[in-house]
Every structure is written in C-alpha cells, then in structure tokens.
Amino acid sequence: AEAERVSAALVLPAALAVTPEMLPREIIDGITADATAALRAMDPLLPHLIELKLVRNQRKNFLNIRIRNDYMRIVFHVRREDVHYCFAPVYTLQPYLRVFLLHVQNGPLTISSATEAQRADLQAAVGEYIRKHNLQGEHYCTTLDPARRIEHATLPACLGFVRSSADPVAHLFIRVPSGLYRRHFAITEPLPMEHIRPLLPSLPPARAAAQAQLAASCPYLRTLLDVREPGYG
C-alpha cells in the first residue's frame, strides 16, 4: 500500500517531515492534495476557506495552514440551505461591508450566478444584519471603483441592476455608518496612548510577559509593536 503522505490531523510522517533537501515537486503536490482531502473530510467548506502550502525551514518540512485573506474579517454570516451569506469590512478603510456567498461544496458563488431563491435568501440575510445593528439609510453597490460605482438606495434595486448587467457581479457592498465600520474593523480606532505611555518603560524583560501585558492593555498592540528582549536583534 502507498505510504501515508499526511495524517488526518494534517501532520507529515517523519520520513517526509525530516529530509536533507527540499522534497520533489510531485511529492509536494501529492501532500497538498492529501491535505486538501483531509480538510474536505472534516468539512466540505474548509478547502475553500483555508490555504495550504508545504514550507521548509533548516530542519524540517511542514504544512503551513492559514485562512485565506478574503475570509479573515467575516463579522456576520447566515446559512441558508448549502450557502453561507457572509459580511466582511473592506480592507481599503472605506465604510463599506462586502457581502459574498460561499457554497459549502463549490466555494465562492457570484451574485450573478445565484438563483432567485438564493438572492431572496441574500435579502433575508441583509435584513437580519440591518435589524441587528439598527441601520438606516444604507446604500448598496456592486463595485468600489469610483468611476463605475452606482449606489442604490435599496437592495432590490441593486439586485435589479445585477440582473441587467452584462458584466458578472461577484459580490455586493453595503455602505454603513463610519462608527459601525470602526467597530467591525477596530484597528481603525485611535490607540489609547495616554494609557500606553506609562506602561512602556516598566515592561518586564521577558518577551512573552511583555507581549501579554501589551495585549491586556490594548489587544492590537501585540501586533503593532515589536517587543524584544535586551540584546536580541
């Protein structure tokens, strides 16, 4: 029988984990295929959400597993049948949420290719989000390109535009109040420097303790500030 190239827990066997040089391309492709199959066995949606890559340091090979960037900031989602309706703030620091569809088997589903039933479910999901946050006066569009953006006052009007558009529409955007965007994308909030400055001189020398203290003060400091021990680097 063919030797196992990756376990169900996505761990490489010792014979493949520790090698004197980089593995051949065909073995790397086989490992990636087996790991993708293992993800699919856990949940059919996972291969669409997770990016797998075999990487190597000076000592061993291992699978690098990370969530794809498009799905890192999902702040709200509703599932209807086999489709997830997902809401995520855009990375361009504009007060818009991107709304996109994920089919549990097939992955990303464009708004243009969605059925009328799925578009009805999309409207219901947007309605849930609006009621949850008590929104008023939100607008909808299909692109953030200023030259092509057409904002619609209602979602049905925007979906009508999608039906008549000759170009495929991948997802929708909802314009939301800036305050709501900042709550969803809290890194845009000003850092409380008046609380941080007195803390910095008294940080303990141990790097882990320093990072924990920073995180307790403000969760985003741990990623924004590089804490190093004396003599390090």
Side-chain angles (χ1 to χ4, degrees):
E2 184 178 356
E4 182 183 62
R5 289 178 293 202
V6 63
S7 72
L10 304 180
V11 177
L12 297 179
L16 294 179
V18 182
T19 58
E21 57 187 17
M22 193 67 177
L23 293 169
R25 170 51 57 186
E26 60 270 19
I27 294 181
I28 293 175
D29 292 343
I31 290 172
T32 304
D34 290 353
T36 301
L39 285 176
R40 189 174 294 109
M42 298 177 199
D43 189 311
L45 186 61
L46 285 180
H48 303 293
L49 298 178
I50 292 178
E51 184 177 15
L52 293 169
K53 185 178 181 181
L54 188 77
V55 296
R56 177 180 176 83
N57 60 22
Q58 293 179 346
R59 295 171 296 169
K60 63 185 299 185
N61 308 301
F62 56 92
L63 278 169
N64 187 17
I65 304 169
R66 55 175 293 177
I67 299 175
R68 297 181 187 276
N69 287 338
D70 285 348
Y71 310 130
M72 287 286 289
R73 292 294 310 180
I74 295 176
V75 295
F76 181 79
H77 99 284
V78 174
R79 178 170 178 172
R80 294 285 187 273
E81 301 295 336
D82 288 336
V83 178
H84 293 269
Y85 300 84
C86 305
F87 297 66
V90 300
Y91 282 93
T92 52
L93 301 184
Q94 300 178 74
Y96 288 90
L97 291 182
R98 184 170 63 96
V99 183
F100 56 94
L101 281 55
L102 278 175
H103 192 280
V104 295
Q105 296 286 348
N106 304 323
L109 177 67
T110 66
I111 304 296
S112 295
S113 63
T115 65
E116 287 302 318
Q118 289 165 343
R119 291 177 185 174
D121 288 339
L122 169 62
Q123 292 189 70
V126 171
E128 288 188 36
Y129 179 84
I130 288 173
R131 288 189 296 274
K132 178 179 179 179
H133 294 285
N134 195 28
L135 294 184
Q136 295 180 352
E138 70 282 352
H139 285 74
Y140 305 85
C141 57
T142 59
T143 178
L144 296 184
D145 181 354
R148 299 187 297 118
R149 184 172 66 214
I150 301 175
E151 295 204 353
H152 305 270
T154 67
L155 181 54
C158 189
L159 291 177
F161 173 80
V162 171
R163 292 186 189 94
S164 63
S165 175
D167 299 322
V169 175
H171 36 237
L172 299 178
F173 297 95
I174 306 177
R175 184 180 180 89
V176 297
S178 297
L180 177 59
Y181 178 86
R182 289 198 299 269
R183 291 202 299 274
H184 281 328
F185 214 155
I187 195 65
T188 61
E189 293 282 9
L191 294 177
M193 294 307 296
E194 68 277 9
H195 302 300
I196 295 167
R197 286 193 184 98
L199 175 66
L200 293 177
S202 61
L203 286 176
R207 191 179 189 195
Q211 288 178 330
Q213 196 167 350
L214 283 173
S217 172
C218 179
Y220 304 101
L221 284 180
R222 185 171 180 175
T223 56
L224 291 177
L225 299 181
D226 184 16
V227 178
R228 299 190 177 192
E229 299 174 22
Y232 175 85

